[in-house]
Amino acid sequence: MSLPARKETRTATVTRPAEREIRTERVFDAPRDLVWRAFTDPKLVARWWGRGNPLVVERMELERGGHWRFIEHAGDVAHGFEGRFREVTPQERLVQTFEWDGMPGYVAVTTQQFEELGPDRTRVVTTVLFHTMEERDGMLSSGMADGLNDSYAALDKVLLRAGDR
Amino acid sequence: MSLPARKETRTATVTRPAEREIRTERVFDAPRDLVWRAFTDPKLVARWWGRGNPLVVERMELERGGHWRFIEHAGDVAHGFEGRFREVTPQERLVQTFEWDGMPGYVAVTTQQFEELGPDRTRVVTTVLFHTMEERDGMLSSGMADGLNDSYAALDKVLLRAGDR
């Protein structure tokens, strides 16, 4: 299988479909089973989620009701993130809560849909639902889109290597 | 100090002030510092929160960002509840998330306001904010009001005894 000809970094589409929601969409040049693993296998997650920063996966109980907790080390600062899985449908759908230690008790619900566009092409559509519009807008103004694009650029590399291509 | 003359069981006022909210209000014949302790001291919480059912307080980290987790034993069934503290203002205000193991990933935000009505009289006003109206209505139709009144009736007794009156 040949390398994708395209070299530029793709950007995710980020929209606000409803008052308390963010929707993002991004296509990856990899088969859906590999993209699913990259989002759910702790060893693979650790290699891209922190956008180049070291990431420690403290918990990753991939089942309904299971908890997850990551620590991202950005220089001297450690940022904790955690949540719980609401729905785990392998290769198709992942619904989980998301909370940053810096704003404890502010919980968003993230729904990720993995769409097979072809044997080597997968779209990930993510919606994030907040309790209030203020929380949603706070997340957007914190530079969420840039952070997401950095993470996804790191994920592109993980997918290339993990796919042995 | 004399016992309150009133003997009947009070009921909490339960309303729906907004699309995704429940508001409850209940007056207790006890000083505010004692009511606060009954809501935050694990030993006291264990005596009323389970409405007569044994309750194990697994975690109760009473500070911003701290976690809480209770297990209520109802016959042979164990129900887990958990969340995290968003705000802890002693004797005044407690904001925390609430999640039942039976519906993992469905997180409500509970705000409790403790109002001093007199030296021996305290009103607790609780608002619960859900991500969706469906979650709010599901909570109401699960018998939440009855459960709350049972808990508060048990709390009345704890307050009487803890106050040494």
Side-chain angles (χ1 to χ4, degrees), chain B residues 3-143:
Chain B
L3 282 171
R6 207 169 341 181
K7 285 285 183 199
E8 81 277 15
T9 303
R10 289 179 188 163
T11 55
T13 308
V14 179
T15 54
R16 289 172 291 184
E19 207 181 46
R20 295 179 287 115
E21 280 179 34
I22 298 173
R23 181 184 188 278
T24 71
E25 196 181 307
R26 171 67 143 77
V27 174
F28 298 94
D29 290 317
R32 186 168 70 160
D33 65 333
L34 177 55
V35 176
W36 171 263
R37 279 199 290 125
F39 275 82
T40 54
D41 178 332
K43 285 192 294 293
L44 294 180
V45 171
R47 286 168 50 194
W48 66 270
W49 203 91
R51 305 159 294 144
N53 289 324
L55 185 84
V56 177
V57 177
E58 286 192 346
R59 289 177 91 170
M60 186 71 173
E61 303 156 358
L62 190 68
E63 59 178 349
R64 179 173 178 274
H67 295 78
W68 65 272
R69 181 167 171 83
F70 301 165
I71 311 286
E72 181 184 340
H73 293 271
D76 290 342
V77 186
H79 289 289
F81 301 88
E82 63 179 46
R84 200 169 183 186
F85 292 104
R86 185 192 284 193
E87 184 188 326
V88 179
T89 305
Q91 304 199 26
E92 285 180 19
R93 203 172 130 92
L94 195 59
V95 186
Q96 69 204 94
T97 56
F98 174 95
E99 190 175 353
W100 169 49
D101 282 0
M103 281 181 65
Y106 291 85
V107 180
V109 180
T110 299
T111 301
Q112 281 166 319
Q113 205 81 36
F114 299 80
E115 300 172 5
E116 190 164 50
L117 301 182
D120 212 32
R121 208 169 151 79
T122 305
R123 178 163 48 216
V124 178
V125 178
T126 303
T127 56
V128 190
L129 174 65
F130 299 81
H131 273 116
T132 65
M133 194 170 66
E134 290 70 30
E135 289 170 50
R136 193 269 312 263
D137 292 342
M139 173 71 93
L140 284 171
S141 66
S142 75

Side-chain angles (χ1 to χ4, degrees), chain A residues 23-114:
Chain A
R23 181 184 188 278
T24 70
E25 195 181 307
R26 171 69 142 76
V27 173
F28 297 94
D29 290 318
R32 186 167 71 159
D33 65 334
L34 177 56
V35 176
W36 171 263
R37 279 200 290 126
F39 275 83
T40 54
D41 177 332
K43 286 192 293 294
L44 293 180
V45 171
R47 286 168 50 194
W48 65 270
W49 204 90
R51 304 160 294 143
N53 288 324
L55 185 85
V56 176
V57 177
E58 285 192 346
R59 288 177 92 170
M60 187 70 174
E61 302 155 359
L62 189 70
E63 58 179 349
R64 181 173 177 271
H67 294 78
W68 64 272
R69 182 167 171 82
F70 302 164
I71 311 285
E72 182 183 339
H73 293 271
D76 290 341
V77 186
H79 290 288
F81 300 88
E82 64 180 46
R84 201 169 182 186
F85 293 103
R86 184 192 285 193
E87 184 188 326
V88 179
T89 304
Q91 303 199 27
E92 285 181 19
R93 204 171 130 93
L94 195 59
V95 186
Q96 71 203 91
T97 56
F98 174 96
E99 190 176 353
W100 170 50
D101 282 0
M103 283 183 63
Y106 291 86
V107 179
V109 180
T110 299
T111 301
Q112 280 166 318
Q113 205 82 36
F114 299 79

